[in-house]
Amino acid sequence: MKRLSNIGIVFLSVLFLAGCAAKKPVADPSVSGPSQADNGQDEAKRQLQFVQKVYDQQLYQKNIVADCTFTAQTRGKEMSLPGSLHMRKDQVVRLQLFIPLIGTEVGRLEFTPDHVLVIDRMHKEYIKADYSELNFLKENGLTFYSLQSLFWNQLFVPDKQRLTESELPLFKVDWNTSQNANALSLEHGKMVYNWQVQQDKGLIEEIHVDYQSQSHGATSLEWLYGDFRPFGSRQYPLSHRISFNTAATAQPQKAAIRIQLAQPTAAADWEPESAVSAKYKKVEAKDILGKLLSL
């Protein structure tokens, strides 16, 4: 499971952050802005228009399928493998890794709204668990949909299946935080999420999340997007760079991964749920963190 462990560290951390509290302060848009003299109503309208612009960049396709190169860095070691990414909106996010040149599948990590599936081809083992069975996820009210939004490069509200226009006023805008970029932030209970967004095109370039807990320790996530290419009438990033630090495990973990996609399509001729061979041994859900986080 060593190869799968690198994947699991990252994506369980992503799920963990998607439902946990952050401590970054919400930027006050009144401190800086294009027109501080405007009254509150005009500023609120200006902010809503920009958030609407970002919202309008989301893809309309139902599927994203692409070959990829997956590179993981952890504890001073780097692993790079060819892979593939299959996503079907509101149904599945699936990452498969293969042996270079040979093309044999090494393992598979699959998230659906109902369960997490990890298949270890090397040892013929698998884990299939409902989110409610995984205390690490259950205690933080985590869902599939936040992870999906990160992969689809779109805004989201935690605990919501999809973002609606009626929720756009929940986002706050901090104007011109860097060259050609505005910051969007969202408060959700104790949570705060921060996105960096291209000012001219409304494309999300990165998201930062920090989490602090007495029971789980501190965790931070940074997800950077790049190499935007046309995908239908919108643009989608082919480069995903994810880094995190977490003290939520027995030993602190630090890792970074890069997923470089190649020529994504909207192909729909594939099954959204993986079948597991009867020859594979099922590992108990309670062992999932040990399986995925042991290096």
Side-chain angles (χ1 to χ4, degrees), residues 13 21-22 24 59 78 107 134 169 185 189 218 236 251 284:
S13 294
K24 286 191 177 180
L59 302 177
E78 181 172 293
L134 308 175
S185 58
Y236 182 70
Q251 294 183 346
E284 293 299 321

Side-chain angles (χ1 to χ4, degrees), residues 56-91:
D56 290 342
Q57 305 313 310
Q58 61 185 341
L59 302 177
Y60 62 82
Q61 288 88 349
K62 186 178 177 64
N63 297 279
I64 299 179
V65 176
D67 292 333
C68 69
T69 299
F70 178 93
T71 303
Q73 294 178 323
T74 179
R75 295 187 178 180
K77 298 179 181 180
E78 181 172 293
M79 173 193 71
S80 186
L81 291 174
S84 69
L85 180 68
H86 286 69
M87 300 192 293
R88 180 164 294 168
K89 202 63 170 288
D90 297 333
Q91 293 189 48

Side-chain angles (χ1 to χ4, degrees), residues 1-15 70-74 79 81-84 94-98 106-111 117-120 147 151 242 244 255-257 259 291-295:
M1 289 293 292
K2 187 171 183 178
R3 285 172 171 165
L4 283 182
S5 66
N6 291 296
I7 311 169
I9 291 172
V10 174
F11 291 113
L12 286 179
S13 294
V14 169
L15 278 175
F70 178 93
T71 303
Q73 294 178 323
T74 179
M79 173 193 71
L81 291 174
S84 69
R94 177 190 302 152
L95 179 66
Q96 297 165 260
L97 297 182
F98 306 100
V106 175
R108 180 177 300 203
L109 179 63
E110 184 171 283
F111 293 97
L117 175 65
V118 182
I119 301 177
D120 176 7
L147 176 64
F151 268 101
I242 309 159
F244 74 97
I257 69 169
I259 301 176
K291 278 284 185 181
L292 292 176
L293 301 179
S294 60
L295 292 176

Side-chain angles (χ1 to χ4, degrees), residues 282-294:
K282 184 176 182 180
V283 179
E284 293 299 321
K286 65 181 181 180
D287 297 327
I288 191 168
L289 284 181
K291 278 284 185 181
L292 292 176
L293 301 179
S294 60

Side-chain angles (χ1 to χ4, degrees), residues 3-210:
R3 285 172 171 165
L4 283 182
S5 66
N6 291 296
I7 311 169
I9 291 172
V10 174
F11 291 113
L12 286 179
S13 294
V14 169
L15 278 175
F16 185 66
L17 285 161
C20 299
K23 299 186 71 177
K24 286 191 177 180
V26 179
D28 183 1
S30 65
V31 174
S32 62
S35 179
Q36 295 184 13
D38 288 352
N39 60 39
Q41 185 175 3
D42 288 340
E43 174 61 15
K45 181 179 180 180
R46 181 180 296 106
Q47 292 206 21
L48 181 58
Q49 288 174 338
F50 184 74
V51 178
Q52 178 76 56
K53 181 178 182 177
V54 180
Y55 173 80
D56 290 342
Q57 305 313 310
Q58 61 185 341
L59 302 177
Y60 62 82
Q61 288 88 349
K62 186 178 177 64
N63 297 279
I64 299 179
V65 176
D67 292 333
C68 69
T69 299
F70 178 93
T71 303
Q73 294 178 323
T74 179
R75 295 187 178 180
K77 298 179 181 180
E78 181 172 293
M79 173 193 71
S80 186
L81 291 174
S84 69
L85 180 68
H86 286 69
M87 300 192 293
R88 180 164 294 168
K89 202 63 170 288
D90 297 333
Q91 293 189 48
V92 67
V93 173
R94 177 190 302 152
L95 179 66
Q96 297 165 260
L97 297 182
F98 306 100
I99 298 175
L101 301 178
I102 300 176
T104 302
E105 186 178 53
V106 175
R108 180 177 300 203
L109 179 63
E110 184 171 283
F111 293 97
T112 77
D114 301 320
H115 64 259
V116 178
L117 175 65
V118 182
I119 301 177
D120 176 7
R121 301 294 189 193
M122 303 294 288
H123 300 92
K124 299 188 182 304
E125 295 180 341
Y126 76 97
I127 298 171
K128 186 175 183 179
D130 186 281
Y131 292 94
S132 64
E133 298 178 60
L134 308 175
N135 290 335
F136 182 70
L137 307 179
K138 179 182 178 182
E139 291 173 3
N140 297 284
L142 307 178
T143 71
F144 160 82
Y145 299 103
S146 295
L147 176 64
Q148 174 177 260
S149 295
L150 290 168
F151 268 101
W152 284 73
N153 185 236
Q154 62 188 38
L155 296 175
F156 62 92
V157 174
D159 302 327
K160 297 287 185 178
Q161 180 170 345
R162 59 177 55 86
L163 179 64
T164 64
E165 292 195 20
S166 65
E167 293 162 328
L168 298 186
L170 296 174
F171 296 87
K172 292 180 171 58
V173 181
D174 184 12
W175 304 102
N176 300 318
T177 55
S178 64
Q179 186 176 4
N180 191 36
N182 296 331
L184 266 61
S185 58
L186 171 68
E187 290 188 74
H188 184 78
K190 297 180 179 180
M191 294 179 289
V192 179
Y193 298 87
N194 290 274
W195 292 263
Q196 286 290 318
V197 181
Q198 291 181 11
Q199 186 179 36
D200 54 350
K201 297 180 180 180
L203 297 174
I204 298 172
E205 293 184 317
E206 55 191 82
I207 178 173
H208 299 264
V209 184
D210 289 308

